[in-house]
Amino acid sequence: MATVDVIKCCIDSIRQIAEHIQDATVYLDAGSTESFQFLGAYPILLELGARAICSLENMCALDVVVDWNSNSDPARKLVVITSSLLSDAHRYILRCLSTHQVVRHCIIFTSISETAHSAFPDSPLGPDAYPEYESLLVQDYEELVKKSRTKPGQGKLNTEDGGRSEFPSIGEDVLNLEASPSGRDFYENNSLDYVEESVVKLVVSVYHFPMILCPISPRVFVLPSEGLVAEAHLSSGHEDSISPGLPPLSTGFLSDADDVPPGATLTAHFLYHLAAKMDLKVEIFSLGDISKTVGKVLTGMSSLYDVGRRKRSAGLLLIDRTLDLLTPCCHGDSLVDRIFSSLPRRNRTISGKGSGSQLKLRSLYLQRAPLDVQIPLARILNEEDSKIDSYRLLESIEAFLCGWNSDCQLTGLINLRQKIHDKPNHTDAEILTGSFVSSENFLGMPLLEAILDRRTKDGALLVKKWLQETLHRENVAVNVKSRPGVATKPEIQAMIKALSRNQSSLLRNKGIIQLAAATLFALEESNYTLWDAFSSAEKILSVSSGETSQSLAIQIGDLINKSALLGSHVNKGKREISKGLLSLQDALLLMIIGYILAGENFPTSGADGPFSWQEEHLLKDAVVDALLENPSVANLKFLDGLREELETNVDSKLKSQGTAEESSELDIDDFDDDQWGKWGDEDGDDDNKIEQVYGDVQLKLELRDRVDNLFKFLHKLSDLKRKNIPLRDGSLTMEANFDEDRKGLLYKLLTRVLGKYDVPGLEYHSSTVGRLFKSGFGRFGLGQAKPSLADQNVILVFVIGGINGLEVCEAHEALAESGRPDIELLVGGTTLLTSNDMLDLLLGNSSYF
């Protein structure tokens, strides 16, 4: 039987729409772009006959002349692939239609199903969302045509900015379908492209395309960070909620149907259609309140027709992320986690999601960090012969632009050429960056899948081995000392440069070169040292949590105090911030880890938290002093509205310190008789000092209130074991011996499940046929036995809230230790989490705190 392969399934889905792609200009939104980047799907789209592949949000008028598959006739077909609501993509689709004047057929593929459209709170479309939107888009486009014909002198779009000046800013409402079904009100103050008098009616078709996801390997995937499913909230702001990007605590009180978070509903629809595309009949198991809600929605979507079809049986295990916040917060031994934590990310695409105000936008959508990392190849290939020849690049672009004979585009093209000449040359880092493509492989072995299963040292050695074999195959010699059993920076960098000496070798081996460059960046001294410092501090906290609460509190206080030493100081009249290994923001993340550990081991030490009043009082004082010393280091949500005052306070103190130092250097002989007459002004100076002291006291009191609220939030995190019902018996929490190789929840859960041990709180969701047997035929002795997850040959684990690389590695370790090589394990999650992502979810802009 064929193995389950997420990458292959996604590529097959793209090939199934080949007839629509052929001879079409394809527009991808931000979420689809991220998905197709990981898939390496751009060559496939061109192979299927796409004329051009463009960004939907960054549409430009020059997209009209881009044509990879040359054809004398202009493109009359437009394909839009989006991972958002149709109403959110509407403004951009209209912009594309108004720019491509001869398009007569617009085909839209969305990953959000019709049912999900009607269930989402911000969607104005009903159960028949697709036909509704088809008619609405045609109406709005025809309205644009009428208005453009009645506005003289508005014949062309401004090609200098890609036509963007003809549209309102992101903050403005573009389509108010609730108030105006056809969206006509929006266009009264906007002029658009010229359309000839005789207009052929536009044909619009909308289809469902569910396979928009980011496969990291054939059996590991996450959702696009800028897709609606990942951006939708997983919890509402009630007392058991921690962050909109995380499920609430599993207290056992399931929400009513009306209170189901939109992210839970969208996740259920995504998993249902994913299983259908992969021809899997899933038996659903869940652990956690939101997972149970998703399981119920999935069960309700199943039908007798779905169950009766001949599909491969599989087990679906849903897990709430809030059952284990410790693992993604910590810095474990994972090369993939090091890479994604250290590499810079692509900037988020600026898009106007939501048909309402910005307040409504913030209440429904989460801003996650993009998954698309930027591998700094130019920093590694910094030899003279490897630099980009910017002058020749500009000459080629000028020749290309001057070769066009189309009068209607000539002015815009010449302006663009002038801009290219006037603009300063890009740095190498801006021009030459790489990205991960999960389909890249080495002799049939997917690159990312291989390092996902390995720890840092083993993963680096594997990359080194691949580089050596590639150099041998390319017959390239490298003069560098190699140490067996160790992957050093000089030898990896030398091998990368050797493989990149010429373009043909660079293109042939781009996959291993990019992975090696990313590994090299993660193993740089600054990144490696910081990660190891985090790891050492976490081990110290873990060991201290096995002793006494006082010992753990002392360790947390030391981390805060050391970060406070990295404060501001004045050097030659200028304010400077001293840099150290761990910043205040890093210390606060470690304090979160310490409180979670304390909650597991000292749940009753204090009345309101895991520490005594005296221990916590000292911690609060340390945090207050650290924030007063350097508030700009920590970009934290609970300082909103106070950060500017704190920085002003620090600046005034530093200024007064600098003045005092200067005055102390004055000699007594510098005083003259006139200065003795100024001593009467001391009273005014005293008043200013009193006022400053009063202001400092007020600021410190307000900051103390904010810090008190911070510690109340930490108390909630320390209650994870007590409030999360599946964790109360202790079988799924951290080990009591606090060894270095501690395991996360996913490893322990899979170990118990595959060993067929009972798991407290694990719920099975009966299928339609199962419920029928249980309620009807059971009375005749035809009842259906409850299946076991370990009996399935295919197991799909999906963590609602996100996963990290270490958990994937541990999941495969659990499977290997179970002695079940026949089981195919797939691991998925809402997003790929790093420790920085967790800090943002818990204390940053994505937190409820």
Side-chain angles (χ1 to χ4, degrees):
M1 187 174 291
T3 60
V4 179
D5 189 330
V6 178
I7 297 177
K8 183 178 181 300
C9 187
C10 290
I11 292 176
D12 289 345
S13 296
I14 295 174
R15 293 190 179 279
Q16 288 170 8
I17 60 173
E19 60 177 319
H20 299 296
I21 298 295
Q22 187 174 8
D23 290 331
T25 300
V26 180
Y27 279 90
L28 307 176
D29 75 344
S32 303
T33 300
E34 197 169 52
S35 171
F36 283 32
Q37 169 65 46
F38 271 87
L39 276 172
Y42 300 130
I44 298 173
L45 292 175
L46 295 176
E47 176 193 330
L48 296 178
R51 292 194 169 200
I53 306 167
C54 310
S55 169
L56 182 63
E57 292 88 352
N58 298 317
M59 191 280 304
C60 174
L62 296 178
D63 293 346
V64 177
V65 298
V66 178
D67 194 345
W68 287 94
N69 291 308
S70 181
N71 194 312
S72 58
D73 297 328
R76 295 183 175 273
K77 187 165 58 172
L78 197 70
V79 172
V80 176
I81 303 178
T82 177
S83 57
S84 60
L85 295 173
L86 292 171
S87 55
D88 289 341
H90 184 73
R91 62 176 287 134
Y92 303 108
I93 296 173
L94 275 176
R95 180 186 292 172
C96 293
L97 291 173
S98 64
T99 303
H100 296 265
Q101 304 172 14
V102 297
V103 167
R104 294 293 167 258
H105 191 187
C106 177
I107 305 166
I108 303 168
F109 293 96
T110 174
S111 63
I112 311 300
S113 66
E114 284 189 292
T115 310
H117 264 89
S118 62
F120 194 77
D122 197 37
S123 174
L125 301 172
D128 297 324
Y130 294 172
E132 282 182 47
Y133 184 72
E134 290 171 0
S135 61
L136 289 171
L137 182 57
V138 171
Q139 290 178 37
D140 287 342
Y141 181 69
E142 290 176 351
E143 188 70 18
L144 293 180
V145 172
K146 293 177 184 177
K147 288 186 179 295
S148 64
R149 289 194 309 219
T150 58
K151 300 237 180 182
Q154 301 289 343
K156 293 172 183 170
L157 282 173
N158 184 358
T159 56
E160 292 185 7
D161 66 350
R164 294 184 183 89
S165 61
E166 308 294 340
F167 290 82
S169 63
I170 295 302
E172 298 181 41
D173 285 343
V174 176
L175 175 64
N176 188 357
L177 291 177
E178 296 95 330
S180 176
S182 64
R184 297 186 181 92
D185 296 340
F186 157 65
Y187 303 107
E188 290 183 0
N189 298 320
N190 294 278
S191 58
L192 294 170
D193 199 4
Y194 172 79
V195 183
E196 61 266 17
E197 290 293 330
S198 57
V199 179
V200 180
K201 187 175 179 64
L202 176 70
V203 177
V204 177
S205 304
V206 181
Y207 301 101
H208 186 210
F209 187 81
M211 298 302 291
I212 297 181
L213 49 87
C214 296
I216 303 173
S217 77
R219 299 186 185 183
V220 180
F221 67 91
V222 293
L223 304 177
S225 62
E226 296 189 67
L228 180 64
V229 185
E231 288 184 335
H233 286 193
L234 291 170
S235 63
S236 54
H238 55 77
E239 61 178 355
D240 292 326
S241 298
I242 295 175
S243 167
L246 295 170
L249 302 180
S250 297
T251 57
F253 300 101
L254 289 175
S255 302
D256 296 332
D258 294 339
D259 297 330
V260 174
T265 304
L266 291 172
T267 300
H269 283 264
F270 163 76
L271 291 172
Y272 174 79
H273 292 289
L274 173 67
K277 277 288 183 181
M278 300 176 74
D279 279 332
L280 297 177
K281 184 188 74 172
V282 293
E283 301 288 351
I284 305 166
F285 299 81
S286 62
L287 189 69
D289 286 357
I290 287 297
S291 293
K292 290 179 182 178
T293 302
V294 172
K296 288 182 178 180
V297 175
L298 272 169
T299 306
M301 294 175 68
S302 64
S303 64
L304 287 172
Y305 173 74
D306 293 331
V307 175
R309 295 178 63 188
R310 300 186 64 180
K311 295 183 178 182
R312 190 176 180 183
S313 179
L316 172 61
L317 176 58
L318 302 169
I319 306 171
D320 279 10
R321 175 73 274 169
T322 41
L323 295 176
D324 180 15
L325 294 180
L326 200 55
T327 301
C329 284
C330 290
H331 296 68
D333 188 11
S334 168
L335 180 58
V336 170
D337 287 339
R338 284 180 184 259
I339 288 173
F340 276 88
S341 295
S342 58
L343 284 174
R345 307 286 185 96
R346 170 185 57 81
N347 294 328
R348 282 186 61 89
T349 303
I350 300 175
S351 61
K353 288 190 176 180
S355 60
S357 64
Q358 289 298 308
L359 178 63
K360 188 175 183 181
L361 170 61
R362 288 195 299 268
S363 66
L364 289 173
Y365 297 99
L366 186 71
Q367 302 294 306
R368 293 190 185 273
L371 299 171
D372 188 13
V373 296
Q374 303 293 294
I375 304 172
L377 294 173
R379 284 184 50 184
I380 300 170
L381 307 176
N382 56 3
E383 300 290 342
E384 286 299 323
D385 57 352
S386 299
K387 287 187 176 179
I388 299 296
D389 191 341
S390 299
Y391 178 75
R392 290 185 180 179
L393 178 64
L394 292 177
E395 269 193 338
S396 301
I397 294 176
E398 181 180 358
F400 169 77
L401 296 179
C402 292
W404 288 95
N405 297 320
S406 176
D407 294 334
C408 65
Q409 300 292 341
L410 187 58
T411 303
L413 294 174
I414 292 175
N415 290 336
L416 177 61
R417 180 188 64 190
Q418 188 63 38
K419 283 185 176 183
I420 293 173
H421 277 291
D422 295 341
K423 190 174 181 179
N425 290 341
H426 292 282
T427 63
D428 286 348
E430 290 174 333
I431 294 176
L432 190 58
T433 58
S435 299
F436 286 130
V437 178
S438 57
S439 56
E440 294 282 0
N441 63 83
F442 180 82
L443 301 179
M445 167 62 72
L447 297 175
L448 289 178
E449 181 181 36
I451 64 170
L452 266 173
D453 292 341
R454 287 170 171 82
R455 305 291 179 148
T456 302
K457 182 180 178 180
D458 293 340
L461 286 173
L462 181 63
V463 171
K464 173 184 172 181
K465 177 185 175 184
W466 284 339
L467 284 172
Q468 291 172 335
E469 293 181 10
T470 305
L471 288 168
H472 179 72
R473 193 172 68 243
E474 294 284 340
N475 198 22
V476 177
V478 180
N479 185 19
V480 62
K481 292 183 179 180
S482 179
R483 295 170 54 191
V486 179
T488 62
K489 179 181 176 181
E491 60 180 329
I492 291 180
Q493 186 167 2
M495 288 189 283
I496 292 174
K497 289 181 178 180
L499 282 175
S500 307
R501 290 265 167 82
N502 59 75
Q503 287 190 1
S504 60
S505 174
L506 178 63
L507 291 176
R508 278 196 306 271
N509 305 295
K510 62 183 183 299
I512 181 59
I513 289 174
Q514 290 190 119
L515 178 59
T519 302
L520 189 63
F521 189 81
L523 297 181
E524 279 189 353
E525 185 177 359
S526 58
N527 296 323
Y528 196 88
T529 305
L530 177 62
W531 189 279
D532 285 352
F534 263 115
S535 181
S536 298
E538 289 157 5
K539 288 176 182 177
I540 291 173
L541 293 177
S542 179
V543 172
S544 299
S545 66
E547 298 172 358
T548 62
S549 63
Q550 183 181 9
S551 173
L552 182 57
I554 290 173
Q555 295 295 340
I556 297 173
D558 285 346
L559 292 170
I560 299 294
N561 291 326
K562 287 177 182 177
S563 69
L565 296 176
L566 309 177
S568 304
H569 61 278
V570 175
N571 183 16
K572 296 181 181 180
K574 294 183 179 180
R575 177 184 174 186
E576 295 182 353
I577 298 176
S578 58
K579 294 183 179 179
L581 207 53
L582 294 176
S583 67
L584 174 57
Q585 198 159 302
D586 299 333
L588 290 176
L589 176 62
L590 290 169
M591 186 166 68
I592 289 174
I593 294 172
Y595 262 79
I596 295 175
L597 288 171
E600 293 180 356
N601 296 280
F602 321 117
T604 59
S605 292
D608 299 322
F611 298 110
S612 66
W613 182 88
Q614 294 85 352
E615 293 165 352
E616 192 157 281
H617 182 75
L618 293 174
L619 290 176
K620 289 180 180 180
D621 288 342
V623 173
V624 170
D625 292 341
L627 290 172
L628 285 172
E629 185 69 26
N630 194 4
S632 61
V633 173
N635 185 20
L636 305 168
K637 188 176 181 180
F638 72 91
L639 292 179
D640 287 352
L642 196 62
R643 189 176 291 106
E644 187 175 344
E645 295 180 41
L646 290 170
E647 293 187 4
T648 304
N649 178 64
V650 172
D651 289 336
S652 62
K653 283 185 177 181
L654 293 174
K655 192 173 182 181
S656 62
Q657 289 175 7
T659 306
E661 290 175 2
E662 291 176 4
S663 62
S664 65
E665 295 174 359
L666 293 176
D667 193 84
I668 189 65
D669 294 334
D670 294 335
F671 287 94
D672 54 22
D673 295 337
D674 294 336
Q675 289 174 316
W676 289 96
K678 296 180 181 179
W679 282 19
D681 298 334
E682 289 180 348
D683 293 339
D685 294 338
D686 290 341
D687 291 340
N688 291 334
K689 289 180 180 178
I690 293 173
E691 184 177 348
Q692 182 178 355
V693 170
Y694 177 75
D696 290 346
V697 171
Q698 288 292 103
L699 181 61
K700 192 168 185 178
L701 287 174
E702 187 170 353
L703 178 60
R704 184 70 186 218
D705 289 339
R706 303 284 185 96
V707 172
D708 285 341
N709 290 330
L710 167 64
F711 276 79
K712 290 179 182 177
F713 180 75
L714 293 174
H715 293 165
K716 180 187 289 188
L717 297 181
S718 68
D719 276 345
L720 289 174
K721 181 178 178 180
R722 183 177 63 86
K723 286 195 172 182
N724 282 318
I725 294 178
L727 304 181
R728 288 180 182 174
D729 74 330
S731 61
L732 296 177
T733 52
M734 286 296 179
E735 292 87 351
N737 56 358
F738 307 100
D739 57 4
E740 293 185 2
D741 191 25
R742 64 188 182 198
K743 303 295 186 181
L745 173 73
L746 189 55
Y747 172 87
K748 296 178 180 180
L749 181 59
L750 284 175
T751 300
R752 294 182 68 87
V753 165
L754 295 176
K756 295 190 176 182
Y757 297 104
D758 289 336
V759 177
L762 185 66
E763 182 172 319
Y764 168 69
H765 300 265
S766 299
S767 62
T768 304
V769 171
R771 293 195 303 270
L772 184 62
F773 271 103
K774 184 176 179 180
S775 60
F777 299 144
R779 70 186 68 177
F780 303 109
L782 299 175
Q784 189 181 39
K786 177 181 176 181
S788 170
L789 192 59
D791 295 334
Q792 306 293 332
N793 290 326
V794 177
I795 298 177
L796 168 58
V797 178
F798 190 87
V799 182
I800 301 176
I803 56 173
N804 70 354
L806 180 62
E807 289 181 303
V808 176
C809 181
E810 290 182 349
H812 288 126
E813 288 178 1
L815 179 61
E817 292 170 5
S818 70
R820 293 287 307 276
D822 57 309
I823 293 180
E824 295 183 56
L825 179 65
L826 282 77
V827 181
T830 305
T831 188
L832 188 66
L833 291 171
T834 65
S835 56
N836 291 332
D837 296 330
M838 290 302 298
L839 184 64
D840 182 64
L841 288 171
L842 297 175
L843 295 182
N845 292 327
S846 299
S847 171
Y848 279 130
F849 167 62

